[in-house]
Amino acid sequence: MSVLLIVLLFNWGFSQDDNSNSYQKRVLETSEIDLLFSFYNQDGENAAVTGGEGTEELTDATSSIVVKMPLNPDDILTVDVGISAYSSASSSNIDPFDKSSRLASPFSASSGASQSDALVHFNPSYEHSSEDRNSVYSAQAYVSSEYDYFSVGFGGGYTRFFNEKNTQVAASFQVFLDKWNPQYPIELRNGFFDTRITGSGTYNPNFTEFNDETRNSYSLSLSVSQILSKRIQGSIFMDLVSQKGLLGTPHQRVYFGDVDDFFIEEFQLADGVEQLPKNRFKIPIGARLNYYLNDLVVLRSYYRYYSDDWGITGHTASLEVPVKLNDKFTLYPNYRFYQQTSADYFYEKEMAVSSLDFYTSDYDLSAFNSHQYGMGLRYKDIFTSAKVFTFGLKTIDFRFNKYDRSDGLSSYIFSLGTTFVGD
């Protein structure tokens, strides 16, 4: 799932226009089709699958189609369908002993079944606007599936406009009811035996499979947006998120400092998998401030403070500066900084001891800071002069972002989005 969490982070740039212009919402006049594609690549040497040490090499290609259809003057139906196909050297080492010719090592990939997978999602939503266009009601559903995880969700929201649409207040909720299909490290599965095991004594880990394989998430989002002047628009928001169930990842190994080490070739066998509390509460609070500098330049700033009851606090700050080159082309340089503290349960490899209740070596839960910087280019034709069948090409967005983290993880993503509108 972390893969998904990073991809969503990089696609943040696509959502800026929608969020910053939400006070201009109106009922859709004609059908729209969005075609989205992204290619993501990352590398690092702190893989959680191999206990905080090992290759994090991964590639992911995601494509989706979003169709927005006006059902009548007041109602819009949106359907979002997509697939994300990835290849991961890290997750391939759920089973590193795949009988290939290469030496088993956390720093090289196996060719096992967990090396690649695809996630498919289906996300329909419905939106109704009041006759005076000052109230908007919404409802949505969500289903996704991959080889070890299934998710189903639903939600709804209400938006109210005041002061001739200069003020917007919004509230929404989401519920996700998920289920793991655990893929435990191969050496922890019943019946595992290999004559190549080396170490002092007999390899016999004290491991018990999880009896609760569900993960439920509940969130409430609140926001207020205000046009402060002819040049300034600001908003503040807060989310309340509660999670319950299996919040760890069943295939992420842990190595204890007080347990003997065992190996097959260069691969260290797991002492267990990460154990995390069954409850987590998160509170992100943030603000946006957009400043219209002149006809060519707009400043879009963002700040968010994050805190949870696992001990993590985080700060996010970003700035995007759209520069209008002419009536059709706009450049979007952007920069994002993030810093967080470590979770109470994070330990580097072999720093945890077996008597602890909770432990993980997932560096996503460690203390780190990160920098993301990139550039986007948008083509916009309000007259939709270019046609594909009966649909006119309205916009093309191309973005590139580079991400670097202080623990050595680095990645980049190319994103392409196009919008077509019906006649």
Side-chain angles (χ1 to χ4, degrees), residues 92-157:
S92 74
N93 282 322
I94 294 174
D95 179 7
F97 318 117
D98 57 359
K99 310 302 181 182
S100 67
S101 59
R102 67 124 180 99
L103 195 68
S105 166
F107 292 98
S108 60
S110 77
S111 57
S114 57
Q115 182 184 29
S116 60
D117 189 35
L119 180 146
V120 179
H121 77 264
F122 174 66
N123 177 204
S125 61
Y126 170 80
E127 187 175 285
H128 170 76
S129 295
S130 62
E131 186 175 352
D132 62 8
R133 301 300 185 250
N134 287 324
S135 295
V136 180
Y137 305 84
S138 63
Q140 63 176 329
Y142 178 83
V143 178
S144 71
S145 179
E146 55 185 315
Y147 83 106
D148 65 343
Y149 203 80
F150 178 79
S151 177
V152 59
F154 59 91

Side-chain angles (χ1 to χ4, degrees), residues 379 381 383-388 391-394 420-421:
Y379 166 84
D381 182 2
F383 300 108
T384 62
S385 54
K387 301 289 184 179
V388 176
F391 286 84
L393 177 61
K394 182 179 179 181
F420 296 88
V421 297

Side-chain angles (χ1 to χ4, degrees), residues 223-242:
S223 67
V224 177
S225 179
Q226 177 68 47
I227 297 178
L228 302 172
S229 71
K230 292 181 178 180
R231 294 180 178 269
I232 302 175
Q233 185 258 344
S235 62
I236 57 175
F237 61 86
M238 178 178 68
D239 296 328
L240 303 175
V241 182
S242 176

Side-chain angles (χ1 to χ4, degrees), residues 349-406:
K349 181 182 178 183
E350 297 189 332
M351 295 300 293
V353 295
S354 57
S355 60
L356 292 169
D357 293 327
F358 304 117
Y359 39 77
T360 179
S361 293
D362 184 348
Y363 274 71
D364 287 346
L365 299 178
S366 70
F368 67 84
N369 59 67
S370 66
H371 304 269
Q372 177 185 311
Y373 40 91
M375 180 67 72
L377 177 65
R378 163 172 284 195
Y379 166 84
K380 184 174 183 179
D381 182 2
I382 60 174
F383 300 108
T384 62
S385 54
K387 301 289 184 179
V388 176
F389 299 107
T390 61
F391 286 84
L393 177 61
K394 182 179 179 181
T395 62
I396 301 175
D397 275 289
F398 175 79
R399 297 194 180 235
F400 172 80
N401 283 282
K402 183 71 171 62
Y403 176 83
D404 292 304
R405 209 159 81 176
S406 57

Side-chain angles (χ1 to χ4, degrees), residues 3 6 10 40-47 53-60 87-90 106-109 364 402-413:
V3 172
I6 297 173
F10 276 110
Y40 172 81
N41 178 272
Q42 76 169 39
D43 204 359
E45 296 186 347
N46 297 114
E53 181 182 70
T55 178
E56 296 179 85
E57 184 179 357
L58 177 147
T59 59
D60 180 279
S87 176
S88 170
S90 173
F107 292 98
S108 60
D364 287 346
K402 183 71 171 62
Y403 176 83
D404 292 304
R405 209 159 81 176
S406 57
D407 61 13
L409 178 70
S410 62
S411 60
Y412 64 84
I413 186 169

Side-chain angles (χ1 to χ4, degrees), residues 266-281:
E266 295 182 356
F267 195 94
Q268 186 173 346
L269 303 184
D271 296 328
V273 299
E274 68 177 9
Q275 300 282 340
L276 293 169
K278 292 185 177 181
N279 295 279
R280 189 179 188 183
F281 188 71

